[in-house]
Amino acid sequence: MKFFIDTANLNEIKEAQDLGILDGVTTNPSLMAKEGITGEDNIMAHYKAICNIVDNNVSAEVIATDYEGMISEAKTLSQIDRKIVVKIPMIKDGIKAIRYLADEDIRTNCTLVFSAGQAILAAKAGASYVSPFIGRIDDVSGDGVQLIEQIVLIFKNYEFKTEVLAASIRHNLHLIQCAEIGAHVATCPYKVIIGLLNHPLTDKGLAQFLADHKKAQQTAELA
Ligand code: G3P
């Protein structure tokens, strides 16, 4: 399973990269705005800074919603660095753009996917990744993890090369459930990645080991 971090915050990306477990980064216009990144030059420079931290797979989203506009933006984004994956929204012109970009060997991540039908269309068009937003499905009383399971099965049935990228992951259980059902990628906020470290029995066990070691040392020194 690939681990991506879902943020545009350079410190969080560096921290996750330093752990040695990171396979990529996903961003979106909301995450870029959260970091206060505005203006085309700053946005491009920020994507380049992210590419300089990680080894591969930096999703950068187009703003245009028409075919020509998306193609033009995709070409600009893909020229920033070979690590860029162009994020394209799941709309009619987006599907056409994904097909064009696949034929040009430009990798794409089809975003804002909320149904298996949308995922099939994106895979047929040649998307490298599809991003179902599981937390947002849960928000409206659906079952986001079940959608991931359905799409993984469909892609397996037809040997689609498109990878299922579980997005809008809100907590550790989402991540574990996605791993159980074979999602190819999970993109998580930093707090979810770090949260995987935590278990009270680990803390308790380590404290005990260190206390026993110290006690044995003291006993040896007194002997
Ligand atoms: O990867 C998509 C993600 O950024 C959306 O997450 O929590 O805003 O639904 P959320």
Side-chain angles (χ1 to χ4, degrees):
M1 184 186 216
K2 289 183 201 162
F3 264 24
F4 292 176
I5 188 167
D6 195 32
T7 183
N9 182 286
L10 297 181
N11 290 331
E12 290 182 351
I13 296 167
K14 278 185 201 132
E15 291 271 340
Q17 176 68 17
D18 285 350
L19 273 179
I21 50 81
L22 198 64
D23 300 294
V25 180
T26 51
T27 64
N28 61 39
S30 303
L31 293 171
M32 293 291 276
K34 192 173 161 196
E35 298 305 315
I37 316 295
T38 54
E40 193 181 335
D41 289 351
N42 292 335
I43 289 172
M44 297 297 142
H46 199 76
Y47 286 139
K48 185 66 188 173
I50 295 174
C51 289
N52 287 341
I53 299 170
V54 298
D55 300 330
N56 200 353
N57 299 307
V58 176
S59 281
E61 188 158 342
V62 298
I63 304 300
T65 53
D66 63 295
Y67 175 73
E68 283 80 12
M70 282 189 267
I71 297 294
S72 165
E73 280 184 39
K75 286 183 172 168
T76 305
L77 290 168
S78 67
Q79 279 162 9
I80 296 172
D81 196 289
R82 60 171 183 80
K83 298 172 190 172
I84 292 285
V85 178
V86 181
K87 224 169 170 187
I88 304 275
M90 166 40 76
I91 53 177
K92 192 173 167 193
D93 276 20
I95 292 298
K96 286 166 63 182
I98 288 168
R99 163 51 57 203
Y100 174 88
L101 295 167
D103 291 343
E104 295 287 307
D105 281 332
I106 293 175
R107 293 182 296 160
T108 55
N109 171 359
C110 184
T111 190
L112 292 166
V113 167
F114 292 94
S115 75
Q118 291 178 326
I120 292 171
L121 271 182
K124 290 286 293 176
S128 313
Y129 300 101
V130 291
S131 289
F133 277 31
I134 66 176
R136 293 193 193 185
I137 292 174
D138 290 2
D139 286 345
V140 293
S141 307
D143 187 337
V145 171
Q146 194 175 57
L147 176 64
I148 298 289
E149 188 168 22
Q150 196 181 15
I151 298 171
V152 166
L153 174 66
I154 292 168
F155 285 9
K156 199 171 161 201
N157 286 345
Y158 295 99
E159 297 180 356
F160 283 127
K161 291 193 175 65
T162 306
E163 294 184 52
V164 180
L165 193 173
S168 184
I169 286 181
R170 302 277 174 75
H171 48 70
N172 293 7
L173 185 58
H174 268 156
L175 178 69
I176 301 303
Q177 289 172 324
C178 286
E180 280 177 345
I181 59 181
H184 304 99
V185 191
T187 189
C188 311
Y190 178 73
K191 69 166 189 190
V192 172
I193 295 177
I194 287 300
L196 294 173
L197 283 168
N198 298 333
H199 199 290
L201 291 179
T202 303
D203 299 340
K204 190 179 167 198
L206 183 59
Q208 184 70 57
F209 286 157
L210 295 179
D212 288 346
H213 172 77
K214 194 172 169 190
K215 207 162 128 192
Q217 290 294 110
Q218 286 166 346
T219 309
E221 278 164 21
L222 289 174

